[in-house]
Amino acid sequence: MSLTMVAAEAAHLKQEARVASRAAPEPELGLAALQRARLPEATALAESKLRFVGPDDTAKPLLAASVRARTATQRVVWLQRAASAWARPIEEVGACRGGCAHCCHVPVTISSIEADLLGRAAGRVPQRPEHAVRLAALSSEEDVTAAQTLLQAIGTGLPCPFLQGNRCSVYEHRPVACRTLVNLDDDDLLCRHADDGPPASVPYADARMFRALALAAQAGSEFADIRDFFPVNGCA
């Protein structure tokens, strides 16, 4: 299905949303309120777009290469390439654009292997993270919840250490988490960081498969927020 048809479907959904909202009261001021009002429309729009997006044929052989790789580092490199191929057709209908750096201020969990790859690309030595998580140590649901809370708390609101001028300075070497984070709305409204409420829900593409593959490919690694591996001004 062509991008023209995707755009037509998106316009139709937006028109329906406008008609439905005519009788509704004026939304309260504030970014958080605007985001809450937008979310139902954005969710429907994302579902509509995905109906017309076909897979990138290069993703499957890249995944197969990752499975065949002999070392964890090789598995991760092939998996990163597969993630980019998977995301490519989705990005064509998503909201992500060069120079938009909202997602560079949210937590980004990477492995020690990805940290080493980033360090080589940037000419930096990753530090031993203070708040690392090892999968083998997670033996209960409570352990998993605690680990998720820890990893999500460290990077909230802080810029990525590789963000320069609202652009990624290591874009070609970015981790799987960054390659698969695609907002399927039409703009960045839901990605913005509101001071008057909690972070908004964003209709991201479903990348759970790649997250699971990334964990399986490097199960023996340490995982931590990217800022914990590369602290800036002593902050991690």
Side-chain angles (χ1 to χ4, degrees):
M1 193 68 67
S2 69
L3 293 180
T4 301
M5 297 187 69
V6 174
E9 176 72 8
H12 175 69
L13 283 170
K14 287 184 175 181
Q15 179 61 27
E16 286 185 339
R18 282 194 291 268
V19 171
S21 64
R22 283 173 184 167
E26 288 294 320
E28 55 187 291
L29 297 177
L31 178 56
L34 293 175
Q35 290 173 329
R36 288 194 297 271
R38 166 69 72 83
L39 183 58
E41 176 188 344
T43 301
L45 181 61
E47 293 172 353
S48 173
K49 287 180 177 181
L50 288 175
R51 289 200 297 269
F52 301 110
V53 174
D56 187 300
D57 293 334
T58 63
K60 186 173 291 187
L62 290 170
L63 281 173
S66 175
V67 172
R68 294 193 303 267
R70 295 185 177 182
T71 68
T73 298
Q74 291 173 342
R75 287 196 295 271
V76 170
V77 170
W78 283 112
L79 187 59
Q80 288 178 343
R81 295 171 181 171
S84 291
W86 169 84
R88 196 171 296 123
I90 303 173
E91 290 170 341
E92 292 183 4
V93 298
C96 302
R97 300 288 183 272
C100 176
H102 299 304
C103 62
C104 301
H105 293 77
V106 301
V108 178
T109 299
I110 66 173
S111 68
S112 54
I113 292 175
E114 288 185 304
D116 287 339
L117 292 170
L118 286 170
R120 292 176 203 168
R124 298 176 60 176
V125 178
Q127 303 299 303
R128 182 70 182 269
E130 296 182 10
H131 310 284
V133 170
R134 281 190 175 275
L135 299 185
L138 307 180
S139 58
S140 67
E141 184 176 343
E142 290 75 15
D143 289 342
V144 173
T145 300
Q148 290 175 330
T149 300
L150 174 67
L151 293 172
Q152 291 295 307
I154 292 178
T156 302
L158 297 175
C160 174
F162 297 105
L163 182 64
Q164 296 180 4
N166 272 0
R167 291 186 179 274
C168 178
S169 63
V170 290
Y171 187 78
E172 294 301 321
H173 307 276
R174 67 199 187 281
V176 170
C178 299
R179 294 169 192 256
T180 56
L181 194 70
V182 184
N183 175 7
L184 282 165
D185 200 1
D186 276 347
D187 59 35
D188 67 344
L189 175 64
L190 294 175
C191 294
R192 298 177 196 171
H193 305 284
D195 295 328
D196 56 338
S201 295
V202 181
Y204 291 123
D206 186 355
R208 286 176 294 181
M209 178 190 73
F210 275 96
R211 288 197 291 270
L213 290 172
L215 292 175
Q218 44 195 331
S221 298
E222 287 186 322
F223 291 84
D225 189 84
I226 193 170
R227 300 158 188 82
D228 211 355
F229 283 107
F230 300 96
V232 177
N233 297 327
C235 297

